[in-house]
Amino acid sequence: MKIKDFLFMAAVATAVLAGCDSNVKETQTTDFVDDVKLALADSGRIDLSRLQWTREPAGYEVKNDTIMISTAPHTDLWQRTYYHFQNDNAPVLQMKTREKFFSFVVKTDFTQSHQRFDQCGIVMYLDSENWLKGSVEYENDEFQHLGSVVTNKGYSDWATTAIAADVKTMWYRFSRREDDYCIECSTNGVDFSQMRICHMPAAAEEISFGIYACSPEESSFTAVFTDLKVSECMWKAHDGQQPDETN
C-alpha cells in the first residue's frame, strides 16, 4: 500500500470515529428528560412514577396522587456544624431539571410523628455536602420547630421558629431563580410565608429536588405527601435596589 493511500484511509477512519463519538454525545444529551418541563406541559401535574429514590425508606407507597414514606430510626440529614457529626441517610425522593425558573409545591401530613426530631418536608439534595431542606421537626407536646437547613460544601446551618405542637399539616413551596432558591410555607396552601432565601453554587445547572422524611432518634412514623405540583416561578424578580454594576 502506498503511503498516500494509507494516510487517506487513516483520515477516513478518524472522521468516521469522530462522527460516531459526536452521535454518542448527541444521544446522551437528548436522553435527558426534564421532569419540570414535562410537568409544566401537563398543567403542572407531576408524574410520580418518574421520581427517583436517592435512598429508599423503611417502607413506602405511591398511590394515585399520594406518597407515603415510613421512616426508620436514626435517619437524618446533617453535616458537621455545631454537633460535629455527619448524618447522611435520610430517604429522599426527587425529580430532576435544568429549568432555571419554576416553583414546586407539596402538602405534608405528619399526624403520626410524635418523637423528638421526627420530620418531613421538601429537599434539594445534590450530594452529601450540598443540599437544602425545609420541614417541621417535632420537639415535644408543647412546641415543634418549623425550619430550614442549607448545607454548602459540607457545613449545615439551621434557621427555625417555634410553632404549636398541634400543627400536623404544612405546605411548602420551593422556588428557583437560576442558582438562587427560596423556601416558603403555608398552613392553608394559599397564603405562603418566606422561610429562607439562599444561594447554592453547586446548584447552578442541573438539580434534583423533591421530598424527604426521617427520624433521627429511636422512632418511626409515616409521612404523607399530597398535592405535588410544579408551576411557573412564583418567587417574583426583585423590584427594589438594582444589582451592582460589574466591571
Side-chain angles (χ1 to χ4, degrees), residues 106-117:
V106 61
K107 179 185 179 183
T108 62
D109 185 316
F110 40 98
T111 304
Q112 293 188 28
S113 66
H114 61 279
Q115 296 293 328
R116 190 170 67 158
F117 305 146

Side-chain angles (χ1 to χ4, degrees), residues 154-191:
Y155 287 87
S156 298
D157 68 40
W158 190 26
T160 69
T161 187
I163 62 173
D166 60 358
V167 175
K168 291 301 179 184
T169 60
M170 187 68 68
W171 280 261
Y172 297 97
R173 185 162 68 195
F174 166 78
S175 298
R176 179 183 193 181
R177 296 191 68 84
E178 298 181 315
D179 48 359
D180 293 328
Y181 297 88
C182 180
I183 302 174
E184 299 169 284
C185 64
S186 172
T187 56
N188 59 15
V190 177
D191 305 304

Side-chain angles (χ1 to χ4, degrees), residues 199-242:
H199 179 81
M200 188 168 289
E205 299 298 334
E206 180 182 325
I207 64 169
S208 295
F209 68 95
I211 58 176
Y212 86 103
C214 61
S215 294
E217 295 196 336
E218 192 65 46
S219 62
S220 178
F221 78 103
T222 298
V224 181
F225 301 84
T226 56
D227 301 292
L228 287 78
K229 194 168 186 178
V230 167
S231 72
E232 65 179 32
C233 187
M234 302 303 292
W235 181 30
K236 301 304 181 184
H238 179 61
D239 61 358
Q241 179 179 337
Q242 295 303 299

Side-chain angles (χ1 to χ4, degrees), residues 75-123:
T75 50
D76 195 10
L77 290 174
W78 185 265
Q79 286 290 344
R80 294 182 178 89
T81 306
Y82 179 64
Y83 305 108
H84 305 297
F85 55 64
Q86 296 174 266
N87 289 338
D88 186 39
N89 60 352
V92 173
L93 183 62
Q94 299 191 113
M95 63 196 84
K96 59 185 178 179
T97 188
R98 293 172 182 164
E99 283 289 302
K100 294 299 185 75
F101 300 92
F102 70 90
S103 290
F104 163 63
V105 173
V106 61
K107 179 185 179 183
T108 62
D109 185 316
F110 40 98
T111 304
Q112 293 188 28
S113 66
H114 61 279
Q115 296 293 328
R116 190 170 67 158
F117 305 146
D118 282 351
Q119 59 190 266
C120 65
I122 58 100
V123 67

